[in-house]
Amino acid sequence: MHPDASDPDGYIPLIAQDALVPGRVHAFVVRHWPIIVVRTADQVHALLNRCSHAAAPLDDARVRRDFLICPLHGAQFDLATGSCRSAGSGYLPIRTFPVRVTDGMIAVRVPDTQPTVDDLPLRP
Ligand code: FES
């Protein structure tokens, strides 16, 4: 299957689950969408590679159990929902994308539309 081909539900095969180091951030670009994929002990999550606070890329975010820590200012975001769990921050959630794991292969679903500038991280 072509790496950019999707199944009838729109999921795009990405990488074998075993190829992801648990607790580490792995960055991809899927149909122009910058995403990060994180494998935890029992789940796989996909989020936009852009912090909702100041648009920092999250490639170098640290992962702790079920949340990640933005490398720029340290806000914490839930991996499953993207919501910010740093008390009083008021930061918006980070966008999440549906993930499916079939026969050990991770597939993600991104929008059919192209990302806008508001979906892209600001690189220094
Ligand atoms: S840019 Fe992520 S917490 Fe500020």
Side-chain angles (χ1 to χ4, degrees):
M1 181 182 289
H2 185 277
D4 199 35
S6 62
D7 69 8
D9 296 328
Y11 283 84
I12 300 167
L14 192 59
I15 191 169
Q17 185 174 15
D18 288 349
L20 295 185
V21 179
R24 291 255 315 266
V25 171
H26 301 265
F28 300 91
V29 176
V30 180
R31 289 188 177 164
H32 305 287
W33 286 85
I35 68 170
I36 55 168
V37 177
V38 179
R39 178 183 172 194
T40 61
D42 54 359
Q43 288 189 304
V44 179
H45 305 283
L47 300 95
L48 189 67
N49 189 0
R50 172 188 163 108
C51 181
S52 61
H53 172 222
L58 298 170
D59 314 51
D60 295 328
R62 286 178 291 139
V63 175
R64 295 286 179 270
R65 295 181 304 278
D66 60 349
F67 65 93
L68 63 77
I69 304 167
C70 176
L72 193 54
H73 303 114
Q76 299 179 3
F77 294 90
D78 187 279
L79 287 167
T81 66
S83 62
C84 186
R85 47 191 279 169
S86 297
S89 72
Y91 300 158
L92 294 171
I94 295 173
R95 185 172 189 163
T96 61
F97 302 100
V99 175
R100 195 160 69 188
V101 182
T102 307
D103 297 331
M105 177 61 72
I106 295 169
V108 300
R109 198 173 69 206
V110 296
D112 290 335
T113 56
Q114 296 284 310
T116 71
V117 68
D118 292 333
D119 297 311
L120 305 177
L122 291 177
R123 304 250 176 215

